[in-house]
Amino acid sequence: MALEGLNDAQRAAAGHLHGPLLVLAGPGSGKTRVVTHRIAHLIAEGVRPEEIVALTFTNKAADEMRRRVTALVGPQPVEMGTFHRFAARLLRRHARLVGLTSDYSILDPDDAHAVLKRAAKRSGLPMAHLPIDRIAGIISRAKNDLRTPESFEPRWGHPADEVAQKVWPTYQRMMLECNAVDFDDLLVHVATLLVDHPDLRASLDARHRFVLVDEYQDTNAVQYCIVRGLSIDHPNLAVTGDPDQAIYGWRGASIRNILEFERDYPSARIVKLEHNYRSTANILAAADRLIANNTRRKAKRLVTEAEPGEKIRIVLDSTSHDEAERIADEIAGAVRGGRRVLRDYCILFRTNALSRSLEVSLRSRGLPYQLVRGLEFFKRREIKDVLAWLRMLRNPRDDEAFLRVVNVPPRGVGKQSLDRLVEWSAERGISLVEGAAAAAGCPGLSKRAQGSLVNFARLFDGLAADARGSVAMLVAAVLDRTGYREMLESDEEEEGQDRLANVEELITVARDVDEAIAESRSPGEDDALGAFLERTALVSDTDDWDAAADRVSLMTLHAAKGLEFKVVYLVALEEGICPHERSVDHPDQLEEERRLVFVGITRGREEVHASCARIRDYRGQRRINAPSLFLTELVGEETVLEGPEAPSSSPPPRLANWPPRSGWDDTSQLDPAAEEEPAHAPVDFADEEFASRGRRPRAFDGDRPHASVAAFAEGQRVRHAEYGEGVIERIGGTGAKAIGTIHFDGDEIRRTFILAHAPLERL
């Protein structure tokens, strides 16, 4: 029964019992179906549900997995969840081995950064010229690479690395003092447990005999270590993934984990899921053509029995405003004409900063939309205030939570008083809550501050007595007894009323968790407050996305992973945006950018529209960008070129004939050694080199007279109207095809021009 309704490849994967298994699953090939049917099959074959662990990367994916398994074999105590949630539960059972207690706090990035700031201050490190998030990013990446403060080595010429090396030990010590972890620590501590405690590792391996990992291509070194540690004595590890959808290298994920799975497990069975049940043939053919330009992949093809469907449309707009207006008009026309409904549509972009013009255009036409930013609710000031109270009630050592709420609402405790309390408590080795209770003995505090702190400690003690039982009731008690609700009610401005509505919504969220925990048969969810804090701390981007809501969806390409829509718009496919300017001169990063676009295209079921704009208002600047390299790679029989910036010709124009040289500064598949350009050569939009090499934005210059190529030489100082003065560092090629690489003063990016057409003035 568990294998019914599967195709041959799906059945082979789901029916596999013992030993390692690698399932290479293309987009829309039914990998979630395979994972859930395999869990059902294992249970049907006599495997105890408690011995099965299924790990994925989003709460939504885990919830869907649980729903499908329940539909197949009824509710089962299978461990299903994200890596972080699994690690959090495991760590609570063995926290003492890493210096924590089971009631530890999970700090979100903002709170973790606040601890890092205090660590820098305690270490006497000046941070005026180094953003704290940059230092935090260096430490985070090092943790994900399984580095420690002792093994971390700064890169030569990177002063931020040196600061990170100095502050990291103090930061980790302060986290232990606060009985707290950041997101990375959750995984690192569990990996440490498995490495440093062989007996514990063996017992966990025996307990979790069957491990399934979805989206294996997105695992990093720490996650690899955890999965490996649980699959030594019982190597029944089944991983599902697709190297072509590996899009998280920027946060430490290693595509090598899936590419080298057979090296790690030589006896592994390999199954390819290549039949796509989602998209039309035209969408799949174009996606295949695009991703074939990558080298780090496992060869597979996307097969479908679907009709060709609509051609992929590549639209060349004049401005980002035009792009947004056009898309909104098209959606409005289709919906009002009865051809589509709003939930059919999704607009995808590289970064959230690109959503503003799209939101304005949709609102002006009265088109409801949902912007997928699942973390936003839990980042709101009032929500973080209430959650800080709950964290502190569960973990009285959580000093960061104390500092957030001690003077909200105002209690007459100023910054100098808090600084003195922090210093005095640290000297005595006590938490800030304990320090507040004994504030009468703290020198340097005014009588008013001492009284306010003692009263705060009493308030804390009273609430702590009610911290067991219903979380919803506890949230309501915090709002009422701390004066927080009264503070919001007294604010008659619209913002105050919105904040009040938000904290009341938090009561609803808590009530839902209370009910879910009461009905749950999942292991480790017997502590309501702990489970609530864990869930709110580990929320992911798409958790609040409502698939059933009749609204247009707007989200980043990263957030769209695992989702599908009838109609997909990919906007701002321009050099410097997608591919991102960070991928310049880094072939591996460029390949990841290409995978990101591949993911975006394969979200579409019936229609895909890709677009770029010649002029874009982006992050406070008006930019003139070249079309993305990826647009050229998409072109084929399955695509059509349109838009005001496209050439008008008959038959319909192909990308090979665009853009006209008078409108865009293209480099036309440059070969620096070539003296003459062949007639009708296809435009590649390459700036500097071809195919998998680095890319960067180019300037739109129009038809202007330029200096003779012979007038330029390496080392020559030049001036550009947009970029200012700089020096020519390198010249490649000769004649009309000569390319100059220029380092402009104060600009970290090297920019490349065809010298025969570049608006450069010699100095």
Side-chain angles (χ1 to χ4, degrees), residues 656-671:
N657 302 320
W658 182 90
R661 190 170 292 279
S662 62
W664 299 71
D665 182 19
D666 71 89
T667 54
S668 307
Q669 281 192 351
L670 286 183
D671 175 3

Side-chain angles (χ1 to χ4, degrees), residues 56-58 84 137 140-145 184 215 218-221 223 247-254 540-541 558 561 582 592:
T56 187
F57 280 84
T58 68
H84 285 87
S140 175
R141 184 59 184 265
K143 288 181 179 180
N144 286 325
D145 289 339
D184 299 317
E215 307 287 5
D218 292 330
T219 54
N220 59 30
Q223 291 159 337
I247 59 174
Y248 291 106
W250 53 275
R251 69 181 187 193
S254 174
S540 58
D541 283 341
H558 285 97
K561 183 79 168 291
R582 284 196 302 259
E592 180 161 318

Side-chain angles (χ1 to χ4, degrees), residues 186-207:
L186 280 174
L187 302 179
V188 170
H189 284 320
V190 170
T192 301
L193 288 174
L194 295 173
V195 172
D196 292 349
H197 302 274
D199 292 342
L200 175 60
R201 188 215 60 77
S203 68
L204 292 173
D205 193 333
R207 178 179 176 181

Side-chain angles (χ1 to χ4, degrees), residues 150-161:
E150 294 73 29
S151 65
F152 176 70
E153 295 183 1
R155 294 166 294 176
W156 184 85
H158 288 73
D161 284 14

Side-chain angles (χ1 to χ4, degrees), residues 18-73:
H18 298 283
L21 170 69
L22 170 61
V23 181
L24 294 171
S29 61
K31 65 181 177 61
T32 303
R33 183 177 174 84
V34 166
V35 172
T36 53
H37 278 257
R38 182 164 187 268
I39 293 172
H41 182 63
L42 289 172
I43 294 173
E45 291 295 313
V47 175
R48 294 173 57 240
E50 296 86 351
E51 295 178 330
I52 303 172
V53 176
L55 301 174
T56 187
F57 280 84
T58 68
N59 296 319
K60 239 179 178 45
D63 291 342
E64 175 64 14
M65 191 183 299
R66 187 175 296 104
R67 185 189 66 78
R68 293 197 194 187
V69 170
T70 300
L72 289 170
V73 290

Side-chain angles (χ1 to χ4, degrees), residues 445-457:
L445 293 183
S446 67
K447 291 294 183 182
R448 181 187 179 192
Q450 289 177 352
S452 296
L453 289 168
V454 170
N455 288 336
F456 180 85

Side-chain angles (χ1 to χ4, degrees), residues 422-499:
V422 168
E423 182 180 353
W424 182 70
S425 298
E427 291 171 355
R428 300 183 67 191
I430 59 176
S431 70
L432 293 181
V433 169
E434 293 172 310
C442 179
L445 293 183
S446 67
K447 291 294 183 182
R448 181 187 179 192
Q450 289 177 352
S452 296
L453 289 168
V454 170
N455 288 336
F456 180 85
R458 289 172 181 163
L459 172 63
F460 170 83
D461 289 339
L463 284 167
D466 298 330
R468 297 292 175 184
S470 167
V471 182
M473 292 179 63
L474 180 60
V475 173
V478 167
L479 291 175
D480 292 334
R481 290 160 62 178
T482 64
Y484 204 90
R485 187 195 298 276
E486 181 182 359
M487 179 187 72
L488 296 181
E489 288 176 339
S490 65
D491 184 351
E492 297 180 357
E493 298 295 327
E494 183 178 352
E495 181 184 359
Q497 298 310 301
D498 288 345
R499 295 176 63 204

